[in-house]
């Protein structure tokens, strides 16, 4: 009798992998973020990446980080991966869900995460640690009882030929 395959990916590797793969759809030249929302019983409910709202052309809107005119920067237009994943969900309630994201959520997404009933955030990178945005997210998560912890990288490399 054959034994079970042993080198399958873990739930955490699976969901963070899906989040990171989703981020590969991003047109942002500087930071690509991906997100995967999962039910308490490990079913994928939604995914998202950072990008422009529907109808706003990736070719016509700016991708600049800086500029005298804020209207010529990406910041006023982009939808963050976490908010996109929340808004992409068409199935009803996200109460009790877990959110995997490749970058720690900003304060605006933290509000949406809390208000949608998500109870756990697993993040990979936290390159904006120490900024007011991240501090505000942590304060709100703590107050609202949303758990957050870093994803523990396993070092597993997965090559996919597409
Ligand atoms: N958690 C996040 N999710 C996101 O989707 N983003 C998006 C917004 C921008 O498109 C990009 C950040 O651009 P930059 O400032 O690193 O060049 O990533 C940013 C953060 C950070 O708070
Ligand atoms: Zn955000």
């Amino acid at each position: 009798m054959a034994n079970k395959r042993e080198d399958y990916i873990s739930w955490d590797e699976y969901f963070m992998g899906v989040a990171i793969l989703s981020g590969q759809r991003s047109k942002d030249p500087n930071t690509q973020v991906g997100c995967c929302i999962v039910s308490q019983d490990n079913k994928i409910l939604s995914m998202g990446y950072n990008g422009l709202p529907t109808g706003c052309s990736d070719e016509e809107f700016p991708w600049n980080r800086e500029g005298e005119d804020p209207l010529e920067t990406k910041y006023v237009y982009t939808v963050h991966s976490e908010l996109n994943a929340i808004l992409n969900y068409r199935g009803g309630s996200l109460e009790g869900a877990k959110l995997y994201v490749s970058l720690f959520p900003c304060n605006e997404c933290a509000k949406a995460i809390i208000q949608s009933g998500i109870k756990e955030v697993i993040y990979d990178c936290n390159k904006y640690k120490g900024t007011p945005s991240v501090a505000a997210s942590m304060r709100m998560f703590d107050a609202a009882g949303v758990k957050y912890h870093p994803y523990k990288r396993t070092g597993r490399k997965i090559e996919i030929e597409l």
Side-chain angles (χ1 to χ4, degrees), residues 95-149:
E95 198 66 46
K98 301 180 281 184
L99 181 144
Y100 288 75
V101 64
S102 59
L103 179 60
F104 193 89
C106 77
N107 59 308
E108 291 300 327
C109 289
K111 296 174 197 174
I113 289 166
I114 293 166
Q115 293 306 76
S116 65
I118 291 167
K119 289 289 181 290
E120 189 175 347
V121 172
I122 303 99
Y123 60 93
D124 185 28
C125 164
N126 192 3
K127 67 176 175 173
Y128 293 123
K129 192 177 176 185
T131 63
S133 172
V134 167
S137 296
M138 288 179 174
R139 185 173 174 180
M140 288 187 281
F141 285 154
D142 288 341
V146 173
K147 291 186 282 176
Y148 52 94
H149 51 91

Side-chain angles (χ1 to χ4, degrees), residues 82-98:
E82 304 93 309
L83 187 60
N84 259 334
I86 290 169
L87 297 173
N88 285 342
Y89 185 56
R90 291 291 186 276
S93 172
L94 290 173
E95 198 66 46
K98 301 180 281 184

Side-chain angles (χ1 to χ4, degrees), residues 20-74:
I20 291 168
L21 185 64
S22 303
Q24 295 302 301
R25 282 280 308 152
S26 176
K27 318 303 179 308
D28 190 318
N30 193 56
T31 303
Q32 301 82 40
V33 190
C35 179
C36 176
I37 301 178
V38 180
S39 69
Q40 278 164 322
D41 59 346
N42 290 328
K43 295 192 169 64
I44 293 179
L45 301 175
S46 190
M47 284 164 276
Y49 57 88
N50 55 325
L52 294 167
T54 305
C56 303
S57 165
D58 294 317
E59 319 298 328
E60 288 163 26
F61 280 68
W63 288 107
N64 308 316
R65 303 187 76 225
E66 285 163 18
E68 250 166 54
D69 183 358
L71 290 178
E72 288 307 317
T73 75
K74 64 183 176 183

